[in-house]
């Protein structure tokens, strides 16, 4: 009876040691990986929002000529035929 009891206690201690202190799947590793997964999910959500914004901008540029013209004026400094461009330097 005593040997069975001590064998079970030894088995319990061995399993607890593996759970808390070994490198393969211990509690601290699981917590760190869980934290890493949460950070990656947040990063992925930010990238998904950015992709949606870019898709909306692309759709707008494809559908409306005014959006494309405004973009060319702002980013490339383009002017229409017959317009005069003034640049004010401070």
């Amino acid at each position: 009876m005593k040997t069975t009891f001590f064998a079970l206690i030894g088995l319990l201690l061995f399993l607890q040691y593996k759970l808390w202190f070994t490198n393969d799947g211990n509690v601290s590793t699981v917590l760190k990986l869980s934290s890493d997964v949460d950070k990656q999910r947040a990063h992925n959500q930010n990238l998904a929002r950015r992709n949606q914004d870019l898709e909306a901008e692309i759709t707008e540029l494809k559908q409306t000529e005014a959006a494309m013209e405004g973009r060319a004026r702002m980013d490339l400094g383009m002017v229409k035929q017959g317009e005069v461009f003034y640049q004010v330097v401070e």
Side-chain angles (χ1 to χ4, degrees):
M1 185 69 171
K2 286 183 182 182
T3 57
T4 306
F5 176 73
F6 286 120
L8 288 175
I9 293 294
L11 180 62
L12 178 67
L13 291 174
F14 174 72
L15 292 174
Q16 287 294 314
Y17 175 79
K18 281 190 78 168
L19 178 66
W20 293 99
F21 300 112
T22 59
N23 289 332
D24 291 340
N26 65 7
V27 175
S28 64
T29 303
V30 170
L31 292 175
K32 182 188 177 308
L33 289 174
S34 177
S35 172
D36 291 347
V37 167
D38 291 340
K39 288 178 188 175
Q40 190 63 47
R41 278 196 184 121
H43 183 67
N44 288 349
Q45 287 175 350
N46 289 337
L47 291 176
R49 265 188 249 115
R50 181 174 164 240
N51 285 345
Q52 289 173 352
D53 293 343
L54 290 173
E55 286 176 0
E57 186 178 349
I58 289 170
T59 303
E60 182 183 6
L61 287 171
K62 284 182 178 179
Q63 291 178 352
T64 62
E65 193 172 309
M68 188 170 29
E69 182 181 328
R71 182 76 178 241
R73 287 176 177 269
M74 294 298 288
D75 291 347
L76 303 174
M78 298 184 106
V79 293
K80 285 185 176 180
Q81 185 80 16
E83 287 183 337
V84 179
F85 177 71
Y86 294 99
Q87 183 176 9
V88 178
V89 180
E90 295 180 16

